[in-house]
């Protein structure tokens, strides 16, 4: 083999692919600019100009979010069938990574109810390793979508589908916690199975767990209303922070109650969370292989087990996070690409500390905003508080009653059911309630992953139906004693709508006994091959009926497509006249010229 230098190879490539080389060079130059660097590392924008006056407000906001995320993290880990510490592992890494890459100061990244529920099936069937690997793969998919600017994919999930999915997730999560609220056995978190488990074990209801769980919900709802106290009241500021820290308050009080009763000699009046692993999370690579029940799963087999969740988890994560960023942006433009990059890196980094998939949390972002956070540095304070809890408070977590955690989750789910959105949709356009209801029912009966795909499918069917049924505006008039039918489609004509157009043009022309049919193409931006073929058939059918058809105001693209299909047929059928009267003047002049030529 001849000895070929690297320079010769490079020269050959450069000569063969000059455009590729120019594109790569241009891309590298654009990436290596200071502007792009600041855009992709937002911390480089706000940190150099950080004002120490913001520090106290950021720390207060970070602690407020931390007091919310600790009980929620433990509760959402329970939802996902994980040990409590995994919820806290998921919380702290998202806070640190988003501080560096996030573009919205209010957004907090961590475990959420929906993501936990979507992971719990894999954990229940296949073990913890699948939850950690799903975090890594979810992060990779989101990061790639962000880098390639493919965030538009979430636009295929409409508001009705999102509302139906969110409501179904809230109902499913709350249903899965009813067993813990009443102290019943069982591990099912699916909607139907959860309620079947409740009714099958009604005779095993534990009185004090039920009292504590119901009391937790009532207290949470009461404390939440304290934020609505009159500003003129001297207790207004106290009520605001009590409302923000309500989850922490009920967990601390119930934990203290369980501890005191245990010390007093009562043998576990409540079912408790149990041991929580102390210390910092282990730093290790995600599990690309795992062993379950004596069987070793390869990386490809683990991916196969995850199935459609590899698509739905990233899409739901992106949808939640970007929606929250928009909600708290206060009119400022949101860089969706940067938000996706931040979310993707948060999940990838989290997978190295045994995190489950994470995304933006609306509840904690609202707490962050209401607490007056000034910069993303508030996330650092939250992360530090979570780490301190992992190192110092794990023995205390042992005494957290499961009924209290169930109450915290159920109380949060009350406000995730989109009643107001359903009313808004019904008031605005009632037909849109169909995809919302279909998504809701499918998610409850078939599972969240299949349900949201079903909802998107229903929406796509609606779009295809609307595309295949253009609105036709037939107008009948008489000029110079001739009956004329003018038909104006309101959109482009494609393969799915061509037959519909042909059918109605022939129907209306026969009904109106029109001698001349004019197809007004003002709104026809383009046609495809199938549509062109159908228009050929329609034109010939009208000519066989001794009717004349003219194509009026068609743009250049439409005319060229029809001429390429059948030039002899269409070359004399186009007109660009300003009015119907002018069309007939041109037609009369053309007729006279043709007679003279004969």
């Amino acid at each position: 083999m001849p000895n070929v230098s690297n320079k010769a190879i490079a020269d050959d490539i450069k000569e063969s692919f000059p455009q590729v080389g120019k594109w790569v060079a241009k891309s590298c130059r654009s990436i290596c600019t200071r502007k792009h660097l600041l855009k992709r590392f937002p911390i480089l924008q706000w940190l150099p100009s950080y004002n120490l006056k913001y520090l106290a407000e950021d720390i207060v906001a970070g602690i407020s979010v931390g007091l919310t995320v600790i009980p929620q993290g433990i509760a959402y880990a329970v939802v996902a069938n994980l040990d409590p510490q995994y919820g806290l592992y998921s919380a702290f890494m998202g806070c640190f990574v988003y501080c560096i890459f996030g573009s919205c100061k209010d957004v907090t990244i961590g475990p959420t109810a929906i993501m936990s529920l979507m992971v719990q099936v894999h954990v229940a069937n296949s073990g913890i390793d699948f939850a950690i690997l799903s975090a890594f793969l979810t992060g990779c998919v989101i990061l790639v979508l962000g880098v390639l600017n493919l965030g538009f994919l979430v636009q295929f999930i409409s508001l009705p589908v999102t509302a139906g999915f969110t409501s179904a997730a809230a109902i499913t999560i709350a249903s899965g916690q009813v067993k813990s609220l009443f102290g019943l056995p069982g591990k099912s978190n699916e909607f139907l199975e959860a309620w079947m488990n409740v009714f099958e074990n009604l005779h095993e209801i534990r009185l004090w767990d039920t009292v504590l769980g119901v009391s937790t919900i009532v207290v949470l709802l009461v404390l939440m209303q304290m934020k609505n106290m009159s500003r003129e009241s001297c207790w207004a500021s106290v009520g605001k922070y009590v409302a923000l820290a309500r989850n922490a308050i009920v967990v601390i009080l119930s934990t203290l109650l369980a501890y005191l009763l245990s010390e007093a000699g009562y043998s576990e009046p409540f079912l408790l969370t149990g041991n929580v692993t102390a210390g910092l999370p282990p730093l290790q690579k995600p599990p690309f292989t795992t062993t379950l029940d004596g069987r070793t799963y390869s990386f490809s087999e683990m991916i196969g087990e995850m199935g459609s969740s590899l698509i739905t988890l990233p899409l739901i994560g992106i949808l939640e996070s970007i929606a929250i960023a928009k909600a708290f942006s206060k009119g400022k433009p949101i860089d969706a690409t940067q938000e996706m990059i931040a979310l993707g890196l948060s999940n990838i980094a989290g997978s190295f500390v045994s995190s489950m998939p994470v995304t933006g949390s609306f509840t904690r972002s609202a707490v962050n905003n209401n607490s007056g956070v000034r910069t993303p540095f508030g996330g650092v304070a939250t992360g530090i508080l979570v780490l301190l809890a992992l190192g110092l408070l794990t023995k205390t977590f042992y005494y957290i009653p499961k009924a209290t955690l169930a109450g915290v989750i159920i109380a949060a789910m009350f406000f995730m059911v989109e009643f107001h959105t359903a009313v808004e949709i019904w008031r605005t356009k009632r037909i849109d309630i169909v995809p919302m209801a279909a998504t809701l029912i499918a998610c409850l009966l078939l599972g969240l992953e299949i349900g949201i795909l079903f909802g998107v499918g229903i929406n796509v069917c609606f779009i295809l139906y609307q595309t295949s049924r253009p609105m036709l505006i037939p107008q009948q008039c008489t000029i110079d004693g001739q009956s004329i039918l003018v038909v104006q489609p309101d959109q482009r004509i494609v393969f799915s709508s061509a037959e519909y157009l042909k059918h109605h043009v022939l129907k209306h022309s026969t009904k109106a006994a029109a001698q001349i049919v004019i197809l007004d193409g003002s709104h026809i931006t383009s046609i495809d091959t199938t549509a062109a073929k159908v228009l050929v058939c329609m034109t010939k059918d009208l000519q066989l009926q001794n009717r004349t058809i003219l194509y009026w105001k068609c743009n250049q693209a439409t005319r060229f497509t029809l001429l390429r299909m059948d030039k002899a047929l269409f070359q004399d059928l186009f007109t660009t006249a300003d009015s119907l009267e002018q069309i007939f003047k041109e037609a009369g002049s053309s007729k006279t010229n043709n007679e003279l030529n004969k």
Side-chain angles (χ1 to χ4, degrees), residues 30 142 202 243 275 327 333 364 420 445 539:
S30 63
I142 294 175
L202 278 176
N275 293 317
R364 297 192 294 274
H420 62 286
L445 300 182
T539 301

Side-chain angles (χ1 to χ4, degrees), residues 65-93:
V65 174
L67 292 176
T68 304
V69 75
I70 290 172
Q72 280 191 346
I74 294 172
Y76 293 152
V78 172
V79 171
N81 285 330
L82 295 169
D83 293 333
Q85 67 269 16
Y86 287 97
L88 300 184
Y89 294 168
S90 304
F92 95 92
M93 183 57 79

